[in-house]
Amino acid sequence: MSGGTRAPGRVKEVTSLTNPIVKDIRALALKKFRDQHNAFIAEGQKLVIDALDLGWTIRTLVVAKTARGNEGVEKLAARALAAGGDVLVVGEKVLGAITRRDNPQMVAGVFEQRTTPLEKIAPGAGDVWVALDRIRDPGNLGTIMRTIDAAGAKGVILIGDTTDPFSTETVRATMGSVFAVPVTRTNLDRFLAWRASWPGLVVGTHLKGAVDYRKIGYAGKPVLLLMGNEQQGLPDELADRCDALARIPQAGRADSLNLAVATGVMLFEIRREALTLEERR
Ligand code: SAM
C-alpha cells in the first residue's frame, strides 16, 4: 500500500527462524522476491530515519529484542507504527539471518520499492542526471548513488540489464542515498528514443574521448552524463549519440579508472563549474 493515510501498524514478537513473516523477509535477499513483493531491506537506524523523513512507505520495522527500551529505537518503532508499518520484535539470531550479518544492527526496515518512469524526468537548467549502461557491480552502483546525492545531481538512469538498486549490498553502499536519489530503469531502445528530446548536453565518458573533461563547458544547461559498463565501456550505439565524449587524463599504468571514481570525478567537475558560475554572479 502506498500514498494516502494508512491504519497504524501492529507489534508482533517472533522467535523462530521458520516463522512465515521471517521467511518472507529473509527471501528479500533474492532479487526475484524483491521484485515479486516490490520491497527491499534497509539496515540501521540512520537509513530507516532517512527513509521515513523522505516519505518512503515502510512495511515492517524489524527490531532486536535487546534494543527494546533504547530511546532512539522506541521512537523509531512509534514512528513506523504511526506510518502504518508493523513492528517485528526478534531475537539476535533472527535479525542476523535477515540482515545476513554476524553483528547485525539493532533495526532493519522493509520498504516499498520506488522508481521514477523515464517520461517523468523533466530536467531544468543546471540539472544533472547520470545514465549508467549495464552496470554490474552493486558496490559501484551504491557508491555512485551516494556521490550523485553529494554532488547535488538529480538522479540515476539504469540502462539495460543492470545490478539491482534495491539489493542489500547496493543499499548498504548508498549509505542512505537510495532514499534521496530517484532511480529510473529502462532499456537501450527506450533510452535512445528518450535521449532525442534531452534539452541540454549529453556527455559520454570514454577512454578514447576526444575532449579533456575539464574543457567541455557544462554550466547553465541540463547535463546527461553517460557512463560505460565496467568491462566493456560505452558501446558505439550510446557513444555515437553523445554531444561530447569526455576523457579524464590519467597517469601511471592503470588502463582506466573505476566506474564509480570516474563518475565522481565528472560530477564534481560539473559541480565545480556550476559553483564558479554562481560565485561570479
Ligand atoms: N575496459 C573498459 C573500456 O575499455 O572502456 C573500461 C571501462 S571503465 C572501468 C568504466 C567506465 O568508467 C568507462 O566506460 C567510462 O565511462 C569511465 N571511465 C573510466 N576511466 C575513464 C577515463 N580515464 N576517462 C573517461 N572515462 C573513464
Side-chain angles (χ1 to χ4, degrees):
M1 197 200 304
S2 63
T5 312
R6 299 162 77 199
R10 287 177 306 165
V11 181
K12 297 167 198 165
E13 191 160 335
V14 166
T15 47
S16 164
L17 280 172
T18 57
N19 177 286
I21 307 172
V22 173
K23 274 186 164 173
D24 278 355
I25 296 178
R26 288 181 72 190
L28 295 176
L30 300 173
K31 181 172 185 316
K32 186 176 132 193
F33 286 95
R34 286 195 295 275
D35 288 349
Q36 239 171 45
H37 296 278
N38 192 36
F40 68 106
I41 297 175
E43 303 154 298
Q45 287 189 69
K46 181 204 174 285
L47 262 68
V48 174
I49 291 170
D50 284 351
L52 293 176
D53 284 351
L54 291 167
W56 284 64
T57 303
I58 188 160
R59 291 205 182 145
T60 306
L61 181 72
V62 186
V63 175
K65 214 179 193 164
T66 48
R68 291 311 299 261
N70 173 301
E71 200 186 328
V73 173
E74 291 295 342
K75 264 194 193 157
L76 205 50
R79 245 187 114 178
L81 289 169
D86 289 332
V87 170
L88 197 66
V89 182
V90 299
E92 210 164 310
K93 189 175 64 178
V94 173
L95 195 58
I98 286 172
T99 60
R100 299 172 150 217
R101 283 193 191 243
D102 289 339
N103 293 309
Q105 303 250 12
M106 288 192 290
V107 300
V110 177
F111 291 92
E112 268 179 26
Q113 295 188 14
R114 190 192 282 176
T115 55
T116 301
L118 196 58
E119 309 71 44
K120 286 268 162 71
I121 298 175
D127 284 1
V128 180
W129 279 78
V130 177
L132 302 171
D133 179 43
R134 297 163 300 149
I135 179 168
R136 305 304 308 173
D137 185 276
N140 274 347
L141 178 55
T143 306
I144 289 172
M145 290 173 73
R146 182 179 175 185
T147 309
I148 286 174
D149 191 10
K154 296 295 174 198
V156 66
I157 299 165
L158 304 177
I159 306 169
D161 189 14
T162 69
T163 191
D164 184 5
F166 298 110
S167 73
T168 306
E169 215 180 332
T170 307
V171 171
R172 267 180 205 157
T174 71
M175 298 290 284
S177 296
V178 65
F179 298 113
V181 174
V183 175
T184 297
R185 285 165 155 156
T186 188
N187 62 31
L188 182 65
D189 289 342
R190 277 192 285 142
F191 176 79
L192 288 174
W194 173 83
R195 176 265 171 270
S197 57
W198 180 260
L201 197 60
V202 180
V203 179
T205 51
H206 204 288
L207 301 184
K208 296 193 185 117
V211 198
D212 183 315
Y213 77 114
R214 294 161 300 176
K215 305 259 164 69
I216 289 185
Y218 310 93
K221 42 203 146 190
V223 176
L224 179 58
L225 177 64
L226 252 169
M227 305 298 300
N229 163 274
E230 288 98 335
Q231 272 79 44
Q232 289 142 30
L234 207 59
D236 291 347
E237 301 101 294
L238 285 168
D240 291 348
R241 303 289 298 276
C242 293
D243 300 316
L245 281 184
R247 175 180 35 85
I248 305 168
Q250 296 181 200
R253 286 178 54 81
D255 57 13
S256 65
L257 290 167
N258 161 276
L259 170 62
V261 171
T263 310
V265 169
M266 291 300 297
L267 285 175
F268 275 88
E269 173 59 17
I270 297 169
R271 179 168 166 78
R272 187 195 62 74
E273 262 199 28
L275 289 175
T276 310
L277 192 78
E278 242 173 59
E279 278 161 19
R280 282 204 201 116
R281 279 193 187 131

